[in-house]
Amino acid sequence: MNNRTKSMATNAILAAVYVAVSLFLAPFSFGAIQLRVAEMLNATYMCKPKWLIGVAIGVFITNLFSPFGMIDVFFGTANTIISGVVAIMLARKVKSLKWRLVINSIVCAVGIVVIAIELAITGLPFWESYATLFVGELLSMTIGSFIFYLVISKSSFMQRALEIDPANL
């Protein structure tokens, strides 16, 4: 399989898993108080930045089902892309996957301000929304990053599949 096909397939799988997990856990995936478990997949693009595309497509499709409508599609996808790009840029010189994941968790939690702005536009209180969203995102990202790191650090198969040098764990 050539690299372009492999990349497209990986992004499609990431998007599909993101949508499936988010919709399966829909009561927790939307609103001012949310714990979107699928956000754990944000850890993947800290290995391969091109996988941000799959996560962003997953967010886009998931938010088509949001009770907030198209505003959530726009703000949610924008939030994912902005936070992902910022995290990737901040972590680009960091070799250690562990520290890349820490950077990503912090950036995504802080970046959730975009969703708080969206909710404020729809009439919900900004600061309360930001506080609950921040906690939910930080939990999702921290737990997800821990699980992701644990699986990768213990599996030489995953290290080879993700092309991760064990010295950079």
Side-chain angles (χ1 to χ4, degrees), residues 7-8 40 48 54 64 93-94 116 151 154 158:
S7 180
M8 287 174 57
M40 294 177 175
K48 299 278 185 200
L64 290 171
K93 299 211 188 256
V94 177
V151 168
K154 303 289 184 198
M158 288 298 291

Side-chain angles (χ1 to χ4, degrees), residues 20-71:
V21 171
S22 294
L23 295 182
F24 180 73
L25 299 172
F28 306 104
S29 297
F30 301 100
I33 300 174
Q34 64 176 264
L35 183 65
R36 193 175 275 195
V37 175
E39 284 290 287
M40 294 177 175
L41 293 173
N42 288 346
T44 61
Y45 60 71
M46 295 315 296
C47 294
K48 299 278 185 200
K50 62 186 172 187
W51 293 343
L52 174 58
I53 296 166
V55 175
I57 291 169
V59 170
F60 177 86
I61 295 169
T62 296
N63 287 350
L64 290 171
F65 298 91
S66 169
F68 291 95
M70 289 308 290
I71 192 170

Side-chain angles (χ1 to χ4, degrees), residues 76-136:
T77 307
N79 173 64
T80 298
I81 293 168
I82 292 166
S83 294
V85 168
V86 169
I88 290 165
M89 289 174 59
L90 288 175
R92 69 178 167 216
K93 299 211 188 256
V94 177
K95 295 275 187 207
S96 166
L97 177 61
K98 183 186 306 180
W99 286 109
R100 291 171 66 87
L101 294 172
V102 168
I103 291 166
N104 192 40
S105 296
I106 293 167
V107 169
C108 287
V110 171
I112 206 75
V113 69
V114 173
I115 307 304
I117 292 168
E118 168 200 340
L119 295 175
I121 290 170
T122 65
L124 293 174
F126 173 80
W127 287 109
E128 290 87 347
S129 296
Y130 184 54
T132 59
L133 289 166
F134 179 88
V135 170

